[in-house]
C-alpha cells in the first residue's frame, strides 16, 4: 500500500504520487537527502483528510486539499496561507478544503527535522514565511498539471494557461485538473524554482475570503483541542499553589478520593533548572477522574496547605514604587539601549523642557479556550492534541520528558481558541505528559479560566519616565526615555544584557528622528512569571511615547497632528538598528489617512475629543484616530479609524478583521484591565475582576483603511495593538482636559475627574 | 511523519452486549432528541453536554459562565450551561449550537449572517454569541444598538463590531 516518494538532489519541492491517483506536492525547507525512492507511509498519500502529509493534494475529481502548517488562533492563517498556495495553483477556491497539518517532524540522526519549516502563529511571521516559500508549492502543482496537459494534447505547455482549476487551450477548450493529476504525478519536477505569477494576474490574493472554518464554527462542529472526546482519557484538573515558588506543606486527599469517579490525586512541581514555560508553572495537586465534573468536585474537596516561597513578599504596588524610585534616582540603568548625540548637552541648551511618567499595569492573557492538552503515551510513541501557537516548542517539552525519538512524537494542532502569546509557552504540556506518565493512561488536562487568570505568564507592569527638550523653533532636540519593567525573558536562559529585548526596541519612535536620543532600561526583579504578550513590547511603549508627544503638543499650544508631522519630517528612509528601514513616507501616509477620515481639521472645535497616534513595527505602519465624548462619568468612544500599511494584502477581509479585532482588544485592555498581586498572590480570579469590555463599552464600528502596497507582506495580527490606547487617551484629554498617565484608563479617569 | 491518529476505544462484540434494565433519571430534550441523564443530578448541564453527549459546541466559559461561551437555550431562553445542574432541567427543552441548523443542514439565518459578515475570530466564543443573539432576536426581532449592547458575551479577539453587523443583517432578513 505504500507509495513512492521521489527524492532528488537540490530539490526542495517533492511530488508524492498518491495511492488514490492524487497529486500531492510537499515542500522541504532544507536540502532533501540523496537517494532513489523511499517508502512513504500510506497515511501521507491516501485521501484521508485528517492525515495529509503535504501542502497540496488534488484528487481525480478535482477537489483540492490544502494543508495549513501554522496554527490558526483566530489570526486567519488557515485561510490566508491556503489562499497563497491556491493562487499559484490557480485553484477553484470553491473546491478547496483546508486542514491543519499538525507538527511535521522527522528523525535525522536523533535530531528533529522540521519538514514543514515555519510552524508558529501570532508572532507576526506566518505570512512573510509563507510568502517566501509556500508559493512554490502551488506553482509546482500547477506546472506539473500543465505539463501533463501539454503531453496529452500535443500542445506546447507555454501555450496553455490555467484558470480556476482548469487548463485552457489556445482554442478555448478546458480540462479540469482532476483528469490530469494522475499523469502529472508521473512527471519529473524541474530542477530550478519555478517563476511565480505576476501580481496583475492574481485572482485570489488581494480579494476578500471568509474564514475557511466559518460553517463548521457556526454549527458547533469545529473541534478545538479541548473538545476531543475520541479517546478514553482520564480528565485531570489542578489545584495550583498560590505562589509559583511555594511548596506543599500538607495534603489530605480522603474527601477528594471519595468522590465517585475520582481515580487518583497526585502532586506536581516545576523541575529544577528547566526554563520557565517548559515545565510545570507552579506546584500543584492534580485530581484525575473519569469525567470533568468528578475531577472538579474532587478538586473542591482537597484539603491543602501551601507553604509560601520568597515571592510572598511581593506586591504589585511595591514593585511600582520600586520602579518609580529607579526612574527618579541616579542609579545607572540595567541597559543603555540607545544613545544618539548628547542628550545632556542638548537639554541644557534647550528653550523648553517637559517631563512625564506613565504607568501601565500587569496583564493576563485570558484566552477564550483555557489551557488544555490531550496526551496518549506508551513506550514507543506519544500522541498529543495541543492548543499551541508553536508546535515545535511543544515537541521539545514532550521529547525532554519522554526521551522518545523525534519522529515518535505526533502533535495535532486543531484550531486554537485564542493565543495572544500565552501558547508560545508549554507548561501545560509538561503537566499533561507528567500525569500521563504517572498513571499509564491517556490524560486530558483541563485548566479553568480561574487557573488561567491566577497562574499565567503575565505581561509585566511598566513605568516610563519621558523627558523632552525643545528648541526655539519648537523642534524636539533631545529625548530621554527611561523604562522599568520585569523582563519577560528572565528565567528563560537569556543573558542579562539581552533581557531588555522583550521590553522595548532600539528603533521605536522617535528614535532616529531626534538628534539627541537616549533610551535606558531598568530591570525589576519579580518572581511572578512573565512571558510573551500580544503586541509586546510595542503596546506599552507606544502608549507612553504617543501620549507624551500629545503632551508636548499641548505644552506648545499646538495641533498634535502638526507636532507629529514636523517630528516625522520629509519622506525618507532611515536605517533601523535591527535591519530594514523606517519609511517615513509610509508612516506619514497612515497618519494623514486617519486624520483625513476623522476630519481632523475640526480638532480644535469638535464637541467631542479627537485623539491621534501612529507607530511602526517590523516594517509595518499603523495610525489610529479616535473621537470620544465624556458625559458625566460615561465615556463614549464615538468613532475609531485605523489605517495600516502592511505591504501586500493577502486577504483584505481577514486583515480588516485582524485590525478591527486588535483595536477592540487594545481598547478593552486599556479601559479596564489590570492584574494586581498582594502577598505574592494574584488577586483577579474571574472576568468580574478582570473585566474584558462588553459591547456597550466598545465602539460600534472600527473604520479600517488599508494602504494598497505591492511590497512583500508583513504580519498583521497585532499591527493595530500599539496606537489604539494612546489615541484614546489623547481623545479623552481633548474631551475632558484630564490627562490619563496611568492605565487602566477608566479607573484613573474616574479618580481624576 | 504524518500526524498519528488517535485510536478509538475498541467496541465490544455484539454478542457480549447485555441490555441494561431501564434506569431512572432526568429526562431532557436536547436539539429535538430525548435523553435520560442517569448520573449525578448535581452535574451541570455543560458537562452533561460535553462529556456525556459529546456535544462540544457549547464551551467552558469560566466557573460562572462569565464569557458567555457556555450559553444554551433552555425553553427558548439563553442560560449559562455551567450554572444549571441537571436536577433543574427535567422536562426542559434545550437547544445548543448544534441544534440551530435545520435537519437538512440548511443554516439558521443568524448562522448565515455570522458567515456572511465573517463575524468569527478564533471562533471559541461564537456559539455563545449565536445563542445570546437568538435569545435577543426572539424578544426583539429588530433590535437597536442599545439592545445589542446588552449582550453578556465577552470576546478577546475583538469580533464585536462584526457580530453587531451580523445580528442586524439577520434581523433585516427576517420580515417579522
Amino acid at each position: 500500500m505504500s507509495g513512492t516518494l521521489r527524492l532528488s538532489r537540490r530539490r526542495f519541492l517533492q511530488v508524492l504520487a498518491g495511492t488514490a491517483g492524487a497529486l500531492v506536492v510537499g515542500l522541504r525547507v532544507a536540502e532533501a537527502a540523496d537517494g532513489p525512492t523511499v517508502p512513504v507511509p500510506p497515511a501521507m498519500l491516501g485521501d484521508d483528510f485528517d492525515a495529509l502529509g503535504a501542502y497540496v493534494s488534488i484528487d481525480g475529481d478535482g477537489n483540492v486539499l490544502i494543508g495549513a502548517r501554522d496554527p490558526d488562533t483566530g489570526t486567519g492563517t488557515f485561510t490566508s496561507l491556503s489562499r497563497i498556495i491556491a493562487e499559484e495553483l490557480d485553484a477553484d477556491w470553491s473546491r478547496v478544503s483546508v486542514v491543519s497539518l499538525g507538527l511535521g517532524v522527522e528523525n535525522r540522526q536523533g535530531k528533529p527535522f522540521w519538514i514543514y519549516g515555519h510552524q508558529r502563529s501570532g508572532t507576526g511571521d506566518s505570512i512573510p514565511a509563507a510568502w517566501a516559500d509556500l508559493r512554490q508549492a502551488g506553482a509546482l502543482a500547477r506546472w506539473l498539471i500543465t505539463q501533463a496537459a501539454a503531453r496529452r494534447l500535443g500542445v506546447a505547455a507555454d501555450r496553455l494557461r490555467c484558470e480556476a482549476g482548469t487548463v485552457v487551450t489556445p482554442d478555448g477548450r478546458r480540462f479540469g485538473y482532476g483528469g490530469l493529476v494522475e499523469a502529472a504525478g508521473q512527471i519529473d519536477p524541474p530542477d530550478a524554482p519555478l517563476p511565480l505569477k505576476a501580481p496583475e494576474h492574481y485572482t485570489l490574493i488581494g480579494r476578500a475570503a471568509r474564514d475557511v472554518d466559518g460553517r463548521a464554527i457556526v454549527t458547533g462542529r469545529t473541534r478545538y483541542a479541548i473538545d476531543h472526546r475520541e479517546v478514553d482519557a482520564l480528565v485531570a484538573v489542578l489545584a495550583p499553589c498560590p505562589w509559583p515558588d511555594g511548596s506543599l506543606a500538607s495534603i489530605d486527599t480522603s474527601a477528594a478520593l471519595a468522590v465517585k469517579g475520582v481515580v487518583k490525586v497526585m502532586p506536581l512541581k516545576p523541575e529544577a533548572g528547566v526554563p520557565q514555560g517548559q515545565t510545570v508553572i507552579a506546584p500543584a495537586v492534580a485530581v484525575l477522574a473519569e469525567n470533568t465534573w468528578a475531577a472538579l468536585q474532587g478538586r473542591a474537596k482537597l484539603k491543602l496547605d501551601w507553604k509560601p516561597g520568597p515571592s510572598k513578599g511581593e506586591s504589585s504596588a511595591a514593585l511600582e514604587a520600586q520602579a518609580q524610585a529607579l526612574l527618579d534616582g541616579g542609579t545607572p540603568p540595567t541597559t543603555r539601549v540607545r544613545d544618539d548625540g548628547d542628550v545632556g548637552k542638548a537639554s541644557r541648551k534647550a528653550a523648553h523642557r517637559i517631563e512625564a511618567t506613565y504607568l501601565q499595569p500587569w496583564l493576563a492573557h485570558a484566552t477564550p479556550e483555557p489551557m488544555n492538552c490531550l496526551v496518549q503515551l506508551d513506550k514507543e510513541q506519544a500522541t498529543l492534541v495541543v492548543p499551541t501557537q508553536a508546535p515545535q516548542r511543544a515537541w521539545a517539552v514532550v521529547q525532554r520528558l519522554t526521551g522518545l525519538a523525534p519522529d515518535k512524537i505526533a502533535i495535532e494542532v486543531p484550531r486554537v481558541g485564542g493565543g495572544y502569546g500565552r501558547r508560545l509557552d508549554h507548561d501545560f504540556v509538561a503537566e499533561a505528559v507528567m500525569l500521563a506518565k504517572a498513571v499509564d493512561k491517556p490524560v486530558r488536562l483541563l485548566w479553568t479560566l480561574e487557573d488561567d487568570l491566577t497562574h499565567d505568564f503575565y505581561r509585566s507592569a511598566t513605568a516610563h519616565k519621558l523627558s523632552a527638550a525643545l528648541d526655539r523653533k519648537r523642534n524636539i532636540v533631545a529625548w530621554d526615555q527611561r523604562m522599568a519593567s520585569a523582563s519577560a525573558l528572565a528565567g528563560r536562559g537569556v543573558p542579562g544584557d539581552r533581557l531588555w529585548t522583550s521590553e522595548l526596541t532600539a528603533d521605536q519612535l522617535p528614535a532616529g528622528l531626534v538628534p539627541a536620543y537616549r533610551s535606558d532600561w531598568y530591570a525589576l526583579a519579580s518572581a511572578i512569571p512573565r512571558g510573551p504578550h500580544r503586541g509586546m513590547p510595542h503596546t506599552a511603549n507606544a502608549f507612553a511615547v504617543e501620549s507624551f508627544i500629545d503632551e508636548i503638543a499641548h505644552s506648545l499650544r499646538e495641533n498634535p497632528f502638526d507636532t507629529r508631522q514636523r517630528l516625522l519630517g520629509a519622506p525618507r528612509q532611515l536605517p533601523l538598528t535591527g535591519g530594514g528601514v523606517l519609511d517615513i513616507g509610509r508612516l506619514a501616509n497612515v497618519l494623514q489617512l486617519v486624520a483625513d477620515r476623522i476630519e481632523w481639521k475640526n480638532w480644535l472645535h469638535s464637541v467631542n475629543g479627537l485623539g491621534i497616534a501612529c507607530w511602526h513595527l517590523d516594517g509595518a505602519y499603523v495610525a489610529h484616530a479616535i473621537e470620544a465624548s465624556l458625559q458625566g462619568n460615561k465615556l463614549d468612544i464615538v468613532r475609531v479609524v485605523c489605517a495600516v500599511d502592511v505591504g501586500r494584502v493577502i486577504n483584505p477581509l481577514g486583515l480588516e478583521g485582524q485590525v478591527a479585532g486588535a483595536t477592540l482588544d487594545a481598547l478593552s485592555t486599556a479601559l479596564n484591565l489590570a492584574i494586581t498581586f498582594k502577598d505574592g498572590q494574584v488577586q483577579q480570579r474571574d472576568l468580574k475582576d478582570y473585566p474584558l469590555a462588553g459591547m456597550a463599552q466598545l465602539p460600534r464600528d472600527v473604520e479600517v483603511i488599508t494602504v494598497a502596497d505591492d511590497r512583500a507582506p508583513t504580519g498583521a495580527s497585532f499591527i493595530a495593538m500599539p496606537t489604539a490606547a494612546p489615541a484614546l487617551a489623547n481623545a479623552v484629554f481633548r474631551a475632558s482636559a484630564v490627562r490619563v498617565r496611568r492605565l487602566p484608563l477608566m479607573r484613573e479617569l474616574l479618580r481624576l475627574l | 511523519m504524518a500526524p498519528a491518529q488517535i485510536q478509538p476505544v475498541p467496541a465490544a462484540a455484539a454478542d457480549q452486549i447485555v441490555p441494561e434494565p431501564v434506569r431512572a433519571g432526568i429526562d431532557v430534550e436536547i436539539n429535538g432528541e430525548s435523553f435520560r441523564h442517569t448520573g449525578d443530578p448535581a452535574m451541570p448541564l455543560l458537562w452533561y453536554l460535553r462529556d456525556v453527549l459529546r456535544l462540544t459546541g457549547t464551551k467552558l466559559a469560566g466557573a460562572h459562565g462569565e464569557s458567555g461561551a457556555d450559553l444554551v437555550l433552555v425553553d427558548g431562553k439563553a442560560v449559562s450551561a455551567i450554572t444549571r445542574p441537571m436536577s433543574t432541567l427535567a422536562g426542559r427543552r434545550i437547544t445548543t449550537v448544534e441544534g440551530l441548523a435545520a435537519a437538512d443542514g440548511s443554516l439558521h439565518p443568524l448562522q448565515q449572517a455570522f458567515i456572511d459578515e465573517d463575524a468569527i475570530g478564533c471562533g471559541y466564543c461564537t456559539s455563545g454569541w449565536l445563542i445570546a443573539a437568538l435569545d435577543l432576536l426572539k424578544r426583539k426581532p429588530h433590535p437597536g444598538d442599545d439592545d445589542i449592547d446588552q449582550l453578556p458575551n465577552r470576546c478577546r479577539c475583538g469580533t464585536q463590531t462584526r457580530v453587531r453587523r451580523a445580528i442586524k443583517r439577520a434581523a433585516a432578513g427576517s420580515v417579522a
Side-chain angles (χ1 to χ4, degrees):
Chain A
M1 265 302 281
S2 87
T4 53
L5 167 60
R6 279 175 294 146
L7 298 169
S8 61
R9 238 169 284 174
R10 300 183 315 279
R11 188 158 298 155
F12 296 97
L13 280 159
Q14 296 172 331
V15 179
L16 316 169
T19 48
L23 174 67
V24 183
V25 172
L27 175 122
R28 311 210 159 209
V29 283
E31 185 168 319
D34 288 355
T37 57
V38 294
V40 176
M44 284 176 69
L45 302 172
D47 46 9
D48 178 352
F49 276 31
D50 294 328
L52 183 75
Y55 291 117
V56 186
S57 167
I58 307 168
D59 71 13
D61 294 329
N63 297 309
V64 178
L65 181 61
I66 295 181
R69 65 184 181 185
D70 292 324
D72 195 331
T73 57
T75 46
T77 39
F78 285 179
T79 307
S80 51
L81 261 53
S82 307
R83 296 281 281 189
I84 288 174
I85 294 171
E87 177 69 69
E88 291 295 337
L89 174 60
D90 277 318
D92 174 357
W93 183 249
S94 68
R95 303 191 68 181
V96 171
S97 307
V98 179
V99 291
S100 170
L101 282 174
L103 179 68
V105 63
E106 269 180 14
N107 186 352
R108 290 280 171 92
Q109 286 89 45
K111 297 232 161 31
F113 176 76
W114 311 120
I115 57 175
Y116 303 145
H118 187 278
Q119 290 208 280
R120 202 169 54 222
S121 165
T123 46
D125 45 6
S126 287
I127 293 282
W131 192 252
D133 62 19
L134 282 188
R135 285 185 291 168
Q136 279 291 331
L140 175 56
R142 183 188 50 173
W143 186 88
L144 292 166
I145 288 166
T146 311
Q147 296 298 317
R151 289 181 195 185
R152 180 174 303 171
L153 302 169
V155 180
D158 59 10
R159 300 191 60 214
L160 299 170
R161 64 187 177 84
C162 293
E163 187 185 297
T166 57
V167 177
V168 186
T169 62
D171 56 2
R173 285 177 298 155
R174 288 169 177 273
F175 298 88
Y177 283 1
L180 294 162
V181 292
E182 195 159 2
Q186 307 306 315
I187 292 170
D188 278 329
D191 281 329
L194 290 159
L196 297 167
K197 282 171 83 169
E200 60 266 29
H201 297 133
Y202 284 165
T203 58
L204 301 177
I205 289 175
R207 301 203 183 165
R210 297 189 180 101
D211 196 303
V212 292
D213 285 337
R215 190 180 170 94
I217 286 173
V218 301
T219 51
R221 284 187 293 106
T222 300
R223 288 267 187 273
Y224 296 78
I226 199 171
D227 298 328
H228 263 258
R229 291 293 183 276
E230 284 74 21
V231 177
D232 187 20
L234 290 177
V235 176
V237 298
L238 302 179
C241 174
W243 302 279
D245 53 359
S247 55
L248 191 58
S250 76
I251 175 169
D252 176 354
T253 62
S254 52
L257 285 168
V259 173
K260 187 170 178 261
V262 171
V263 173
K264 191 179 169 71
V265 174
M266 64 172 280
L268 282 177
K269 60 181 183 187
E271 306 151 276
V274 177
Q276 279 201 341
Q278 297 172 38
T279 186
V280 177
I281 190 169
V285 173
V287 177
L288 295 109
E290 285 162 1
N291 62 67
T292 317
W293 174 233
L296 289 170
Q297 282 179 296
R299 178 172 82 163
K301 297 217 158 106
L302 283 173
K303 294 196 182 72
L304 305 173
D305 277 322
W306 295 104
K307 198 174 129 211
S311 68
K312 188 182 189 314
E314 277 199 43
S315 78
S316 41
L319 265 177
E320 184 184 294
Q322 189 194 335
Q324 294 207 39
L326 275 173
L327 299 187
D328 290 339
T331 331
T334 310
T335 305
R336 176 144 292 176
V337 171
R338 185 158 174 163
D339 196 8
D340 298 346
D342 188 334
V343 168
K345 195 173 156 197
S347 303
R348 281 191 299 278
K349 287 169 61 183
H352 184 65
R353 276 189 293 277
I354 171 169
E355 182 179 291
T357 297
Y358 302 88
L359 300 169
Q360 296 171 72
W362 291 76
L363 295 170
H365 292 91
T367 58
E369 180 186 6
M371 298 308 110
N372 69 90
C373 179
L374 174 62
V375 183
Q376 257 186 314
L377 200 60
D378 59 38
K379 294 264 180 301
E380 281 81 44
Q381 62 176 348
T383 306
L384 292 90
V385 182
V386 189
T388 175
Q389 292 177 250
Q392 293 162 357
R393 293 192 198 174
W395 173 93
V397 170
V398 181
Q399 206 282 327
R400 180 176 59 74
L401 288 168
T402 61
L404 288 167
D407 57 346
K408 298 300 178 191
I409 298 166
I411 299 181
E412 288 181 36
V413 187
R415 192 179 179 99
V416 183
Y420 326 109
R422 175 62 181 89
R423 299 183 206 274
L424 295 167
D425 280 322
H426 297 92
D427 50 307
F428 56 98
V429 173
E431 293 167 351
V433 172
M434 286 178 184
L435 292 170
K437 273 169 81 172
V439 298
D440 205 21
K441 265 194 135 182
V443 166
R444 195 166 73 234
L445 172 71
L446 178 68
W447 287 35
T448 61
L449 177 66
E450 293 68 24
D451 301 334
D452 274 335
L453 277 179
T454 53
H455 290 81
D456 199 354
F457 294 101
Y458 302 93
R459 171 66 184 127
S460 167
T462 59
H464 287 81
K465 184 171 181 177
L466 303 181
S467 318
L470 296 99
D471 67 12
R472 284 182 205 293
K473 292 176 185 158
R474 309 199 284 188
N475 294 308
I476 302 172
V477 291
W479 182 287
D480 185 8
Q481 160 159 336
R482 297 174 179 207
M483 178 198 193
S485 62
S487 171
L489 297 172
R492 291 169 182 262
V494 174
D497 63 351
R498 301 293 297 164
L499 290 179
W500 65 274
T501 56
S502 60
E503 306 305 300
L504 70 165
T505 75
D507 290 312
Q508 67 194 26
L509 290 177
L513 302 173
V514 175
Y517 176 92
R518 190 163 67 199
S519 174
D520 287 341
W521 179 68
Y522 294 80
L524 295 177
S526 170
I528 304 296
R530 282 96 58 197
H533 201 270
R534 191 182 194 187
M536 196 170 117
H538 298 284
T539 307
N541 285 287
F543 175 73
V545 168
E546 288 293 301
S547 294
F548 190 54
I549 289 174
D550 243 53
E551 298 213 49
I552 292 171
H554 182 66
S555 77
L556 295 171
R557 297 168 198 283
E558 190 174 52
N559 180 332
F561 176 81
D562 298 342
T563 312
R564 282 183 175 79
Q565 262 199 334
R566 197 171 59 247
L567 175 64
L568 295 182
R572 64 201 186 284
Q573 301 208 330
L574 301 173
L576 298 174
T577 62
V581 293
L582 163 56
D583 189 324
I584 295 296
R586 293 172 78 186
L587 183 55
N589 182 42
V590 289
L591 185 68
Q592 186 72 54
L593 285 169
V594 295
D596 290 347
R597 178 69 73 88
I598 210 155
E599 300 179 84
W600 189 263
K601 59 183 187 298
N602 300 332
W603 164 76
L604 194 56
H605 305 291
S606 168
V607 179
N608 298 326
L610 294 184
I612 199 165
C614 63
W615 201 249
H616 70 94
L617 64 95
D618 301 342
Y621 302 85
V622 60
H624 270 100
I626 290 182
E627 178 179 346
S629 82
L630 194 68
Q631 307 288 333
N633 282 345
K634 192 179 174 298
L635 175 66
D636 188 10
I637 303 174
V638 179
R639 233 185 130 190
V640 178
V641 180
C642 182
V644 293
D645 180 349
V646 294
R648 183 174 299 287
V649 178
I650 305 300
N651 178 8
L653 188 66
L655 176 62
E656 195 258 357
Q658 292 303 308
V659 170
T663 298
L664 297 181
D665 184 21
L667 291 175
S668 163
T669 305
L671 286 167
N672 295 348
L673 301 182
I675 289 289
T676 55
F677 45 95
K678 209 173 149 185
D679 301 328
Q681 292 188 41
V682 171
Q683 295 178 292
Q684 287 69 30
R685 308 196 72 83
D686 59 30
L687 290 187
K688 287 193 180 63
D689 305 330
Y690 198 71
L692 302 176
M695 282 263 196
Q697 239 191 327
L698 293 170
R700 287 175 175 170
D701 192 19
V702 177
E703 299 165 54
V704 177
I705 306 170
T706 307
V707 175
D709 196 295
D710 57 7
R711 274 167 272 232
T714 68
S717 62
F718 48 83
I719 180 64
M721 291 293 290
T723 44
L728 175 64
N730 294 338
V732 165
F733 175 70
R734 291 298 307 171
S736 67
V738 172
R739 172 57 63 179
V740 174
R741 298 196 185 93
R742 176 198 286 271
L743 297 179
L745 185 141
M746 278 317 292
R747 189 190 298 166
E748 183 70 356
L749 180 62
L750 295 179
R751 190 181 71 84
L752 294 172
L753 275 175
Chain B
M1 63 179 283
Q5 292 303 290
I6 301 262
Q7 295 303 316
V9 188
D15 57 4
Q16 293 170 359
I17 296 173
V18 180
E20 283 184 48
V22 176
R23 287 186 286 180
I26 298 161
D27 290 329
V28 289
E29 187 192 311
I30 297 174
N31 300 334
E33 285 186 68
S34 298
F35 294 92
R36 176 168 296 168
H37 173 56
T38 56
D40 182 357
M43 180 187 275
L45 172 61
L46 179 71
W47 302 121
Y48 182 65
L49 292 172
R50 291 181 56 81
D51 282 1
V52 181
L53 301 187
R54 302 187 179 189
L55 285 173
T56 53
T58 309
K59 306 299 190 200
L60 173 59
H64 313 289
E66 299 100 308
S67 79
D70 70 340
L71 290 174
V72 296
L73 294 175
V74 175
D75 292 335
K77 286 204 182 92
V79 167
S80 155
I82 203 168
T83 62
R84 288 298 293 269
M86 290 304 291
S87 59
T88 68
L89 293 167
R92 303 285 183 173
R93 229 163 23 88
I94 294 155
T95 306
T96 71
V97 66
E98 290 94 341
L100 298 184
D104 67 355
S106 60
L107 297 181
H108 186 283
L110 186 66
Q111 290 174 307
Q112 189 60 51
F114 269 63
I115 292 177
D116 292 342
E117 293 291 348
D118 204 32
I120 290 158
C122 69
Y124 186 85
C125 64
T126 305
S127 55
W129 283 108
L130 286 166
I131 298 289
L134 267 179
D135 174 284
L136 171 64
L137 289 170
K138 227 169 249 180
R139 287 181 282 117
K140 293 212 172 186
H142 297 283
D145 278 318
D146 291 339
D147 300 315
I148 296 173
D149 279 348
Q150 304 311 313
L151 293 180
N153 311 63
R154 297 293 179 269
C155 164
R156 240 215 93 173
C157 296
T159 58
Q160 290 90 343
T161 52
R162 287 178 168 195
V163 167
R164 186 183 295 275
R165 287 204 291 269
I167 294 171
K168 289 181 177 177
R169 178 190 276 257
S174 72
V175 187

